Each structure stands twice: as structure tokens, then as C-alpha cells.
Amino acid sequence: MDVSVVFSRMIMLVMIMFVGYLATVMKVFDKHANANFAALITYVTVPALVIASVEGAGEVGTKSDTLFVLLTATLMYLFTVGLAKFSPKLFRADKETEGIIEFLTIFTNNGFMGLPVVQAIFGTGALFYASLYGIPNNLLIYSLGVFLIAKGSKKSRASWKAILLNPGNLASLFAVFVFLLDVKLPALVMDTATSIGNITSPLAMIIIGASLADIDILGAFKEWKIYLFAFYRMIVIPLFLWWATKGILTNPTMLGILVIISAMPGPAMAVALSMQYGGNTAFSTRYVFISTLLSVFTIPLLAALLF
């Protein structure tokens, strides 16, 4: 693998993120527009991208790989859920930070940033398998994730109906159905899905950049605990997962997807849910910012070391 290509792709994504930051600071669009863009990605472009990825899925793996990757994704999340119990003690987190530390141990930016990075490293066909990680992620983030951030708060939680009917989940399940049963979608449908799906990467990075406009950037750089946690979450855990599964995941692309997804920076959802459910918004926003910048170096480093 040409690491310079991975590095340049990461730089490109961060540059697009910076454009989103500048556009927000310069009042090109406001928070309402940002929310609309996020909805567009969630309900339209990511589902289209997942469906379009089916066409190249057979070049990357087999039908049995599909079920195996879904099982692997579920086990990965169960592992991080267990690990999250020990993370607050490891970093001596206070009561205010405990919940968000647990949340960030479990969840990464596997959607908005994970899919574009997987596409850049492994190609469009790998997106189908990477999207399968979104199924357990979505089931957990709106249930356990909200609980961890709220830590017993009586504020309302997302309903199971909303979780199960999440467009990303539905698109992933539809893509699995199409792939396993060898359903051939019309070329016009696939071309349309591809065109819409291609919007996801730049628009997602613009949204992340826009969310950084409300962050105390200088304060984020001074918080040493964020760097330690980022090293733990973005280097130590992915390396352990690589070591633990390299003998099981014989397909190098499947192994690579697992490692890259687990090495992603903090999810923008951490900030949104912290605001909605009274979590530690300051820590979550600072971690998302710092970890996103660090990923420019950590992702190419892992790619160089492991693949």
C-alpha cells in the first residue's frame, strides 16, 4: 500500500473540513444549514453510497464474508462496551467526564469520516462491508450511548422504532439482501445512487468542520488528557484488535476495515448527544477536534505498519 496516497487523502479530507470551518465562521451558512446537511447525509447520501457499493462488493469479498463481517462488527462493539467500563478509572475521570469517556471508548466516527477513509484506502467495493459496522453502531449509540452521556438523566431517549428504521440500517440490510441473492439493480439506479453517494465524503467533512466553529481551539490544544485518551483509543485499541484477529480474518481487506474503523477519531454525534442530553459538551467537542487532526497522522501510520 502506498502510504503517501493515504496521507494525501487524509490531508484532503482535513482541508475540506477546514473549508467547512471557514464557511461557518464567515457566515456562509448557519447552524440550521449544518443540521440540514447532516440530515441530507443521514437520510439520502449515505444510504445511496451503501447501495452503490454493492456493485463492487464481490471484488473484495464473498457472500460468507458479509455475514462474517457483520458478526465481527458486533463482537468488536461488545469488546469496546466491556472495555468502556475500565476507561474512566484508567484516565481518572471525574463524574462529569466519566460518561463521555465511556461513550468515546465505544464509538468512533465510522460513518461521516470512516466511510470516506475506507473508500480512499481500500476502494469503493470495501464500503459495502464497512457499512455493516453501522448496524450495531446505530443500535447502540441511540440506546446505550445516550444512557452513558446522560448517566441516568430523565430526558427523552430515541425510540427503538427510530433506531431500527434508521436509513443507514435499512440501506445496509437492503444492500445485504441484494448482494446475497444476486439481485441485479438497473444500471440507471446504480448510476444515480453512485452520483448521490459521492456527495457524502466532502459534505460530511464540511459538516465536521462547521461543528468546530463553536470550539475553544486553544483550550483544546492545552488539555493533555485528550492526547492520552486519543493515543489509547486510536492506536492502542486498533493495534490490539489487529493482533487478536489477524489469525481469524484471513482476508486482508476485512482485517483492514476492522482496524481502520476502530481507529477513527471521535464522532460528531458525541457533541450533538451531549448537547441534547446534558453531557460533557466541552470535553466531547475538544476530543472530536483534536482526534480528527491527529487522525491525519495516525491512520497513515497504522496503514504503513499493518498493511
Side-chain angles (χ1 to χ4, degrees), residues 27-157:
K27 310 294 185 183
V28 174
F29 52 78
D30 56 19
K31 292 181 180 179
H32 295 292
N34 198 35
N36 291 335
F37 290 153
L40 180 65
I41 287 179
T42 301
Y43 289 97
V44 180
T45 71
V46 165
L49 187 63
V50 171
I51 292 171
S53 69
V54 176
E55 195 168 34
E59 301 173 4
V60 177
T62 64
K63 293 178 180 179
S64 60
D65 285 331
T66 302
L67 300 177
F68 192 61
V69 168
L70 186 56
L71 174 63
T72 301
T74 302
L75 292 176
M76 184 196 77
Y77 277 102
L78 290 177
F79 167 73
T80 55
V81 166
L83 196 62
K85 296 294 182 182
F86 303 97
S87 295
K89 294 180 180 178
L90 181 62
F91 292 94
R92 298 179 181 179
D94 54 29
K95 287 293 183 180
E96 185 182 356
T97 313
E98 181 180 333
I100 192 62
I101 286 287
E102 291 182 75
F103 180 95
L104 293 170
T105 300
I106 300 170
F107 303 104
T108 65
N109 197 343
N110 69 320
F112 281 6
M113 196 165 184
L115 293 181
V117 172
V118 166
Q119 183 180 29
I121 296 176
F122 300 107
T124 301
L127 283 174
F128 170 71
Y129 299 98
S131 71
L132 298 177
Y133 283 80
I135 297 176
N137 178 85
N138 291 335
L139 290 173
L140 286 172
I141 200 168
Y142 291 110
S143 51
L144 176 62
V146 170
F147 171 79
L148 291 175
I149 283 181
K151 275 294 183 180
S153 169
K154 294 182 180 180
K155 292 185 178 182
S156 61
R157 289 163 170 73

Side-chain angles (χ1 to χ4, degrees), residues 167-214:
N169 282 343
L170 294 178
S172 295
L173 292 174
F174 176 73
V176 170
F177 171 80
V178 169
F179 181 59
L180 293 180
L181 298 184
D182 289 322
V183 177
K184 300 298 181 183
L185 297 176
L188 182 59
V189 171
M190 295 303 291
D191 289 342
T192 302
T194 299
S195 296
I196 296 174
N198 286 340
I199 303 172
T200 303
S201 178
L203 190 56
M205 298 313 298
I206 286 175
I207 290 173
I208 294 174
S211 69
L212 299 178
D214 296 327

